[in-house]
Amino acid sequence: MSDYKYDLFISYSRHGSAPKWLLNHFYPKLEEYLVDEIYPSPKIFIDKGMSRGVAWSPELKRALRYSKIMVAVLSAPYFGSNWCMAEWDSMAAREKMLGLASDDRPQGLIYPIRYSDSVDFENEGRLRSWWDFKGLDGADRAFHGSKDWHAFQLKVRDCARDLAELLRQVPPWRPDWPIIEEPNPVLTPSPPMPRFDP
C-alpha cells in the first residue's frame, strides 16, 4: 500500500464514560457532518470495528500509519493509557519529522477533543488547543433529548468543517512514518497522604 487508507484515526481511552459518549454521540455526528463537507465519504478508523482474533497492537499501528489525522478524545484516563500514549507519541513523532506543531508551523496532525478534565493532562495535551466539549458530554442516549443537544450538534458540525479543511492540507503519505512500537509505561501517582491523624 502506498497511500493513506484512513482520513481520521480516533484515539480514546476505554475507561470512564468517554467511550460511551464517543460511540453514542460524537462519532456518529462527526461522520454525518463530514459527509456534508467531503465527497467521497471520509474513512474513519475507530477500533470498535476490528475483526475478532486480530492482535490489537499490529492492527492499531497499521491503521495509525495509514491515517492522515489523529482525533484524540481527551479525558482524565487518556494520558494514563499506555496505548493512547503510544498513539499520541507516534503521531507527535510524525509531526516532528515534518516540522509541524512547531513555532514556525503550529498546525499539527493531532486534533484534540476535550471530553473532560484537563488538570491531569500531560504537558503535550495542555500545550495544544482543543475543541472543548466539557459540559456537552452526556454519555447516555437521553442526551439526544437534552437542552444541550442542539449546542452539541452545532459544535460537532463546526469541528467537521475544520477537519475537512485540514484534511485538504495533509502532507503526502510516506512509508517511513514513525510508529512507537511499545507504549512507554505509565507511572501511577503515589497515593495521597492522609489528611487527618488516626
Side-chain angles (χ1 to χ4, degrees), residues 79 88 120-128 130:
F79 288 101
W88 182 284
D120 296 322
F121 290 176
E122 295 290 324
N123 285 338
E124 294 92 341
R126 288 198 201 100
L127 293 175
R128 293 181 184 254
W130 55 56

Side-chain angles (χ1 to χ4, degrees), residues 142-170:
F143 182 52
H144 283 239
S146 76
K147 63 179 179 56
D148 294 324
W149 180 246
H150 182 66
F152 168 81
Q153 290 182 96
L154 292 177
K155 189 168 272 195
V156 177
R157 187 183 63 193
D158 290 344
C159 183
R161 287 177 177 160
D162 191 42
L163 277 167
E165 181 60 32
L166 290 177
L167 285 167
R168 294 182 187 100
Q169 303 171 33
V170 170

Side-chain angles (χ1 to χ4, degrees), residues 70-147:
M70 185 180 85
V71 175
V73 179
L74 306 184
S75 60
Y78 185 89
F79 288 101
S81 162
N82 285 349
W83 287 118
C84 291
M85 287 295 83
E87 292 160 6
W88 182 284
D89 291 344
S90 295
M91 194 58 87
R94 186 190 303 184
E95 291 174 333
K96 186 173 183 182
M97 175 188 281
L98 294 166
L100 301 176
S102 65
D103 289 342
D104 295 331
R105 299 173 71 192
Q107 181 60 57
L109 300 171
I110 298 173
Y111 195 86
I113 302 292
R114 180 188 183 208
Y115 170 72
S116 63
D117 202 3
S118 70
V119 176
D120 296 322
F121 290 176
E122 295 290 324
N123 285 338
E124 294 92 341
R126 288 198 201 100
L127 293 175
R128 293 181 184 254
S129 61
W130 55 56
W131 282 86
D132 195 350
F133 280 84
K134 191 170 181 178
L136 300 174
D137 51 7
D140 295 321
R141 294 208 179 265
F143 182 52
H144 283 239
S146 76
K147 63 179 179 56

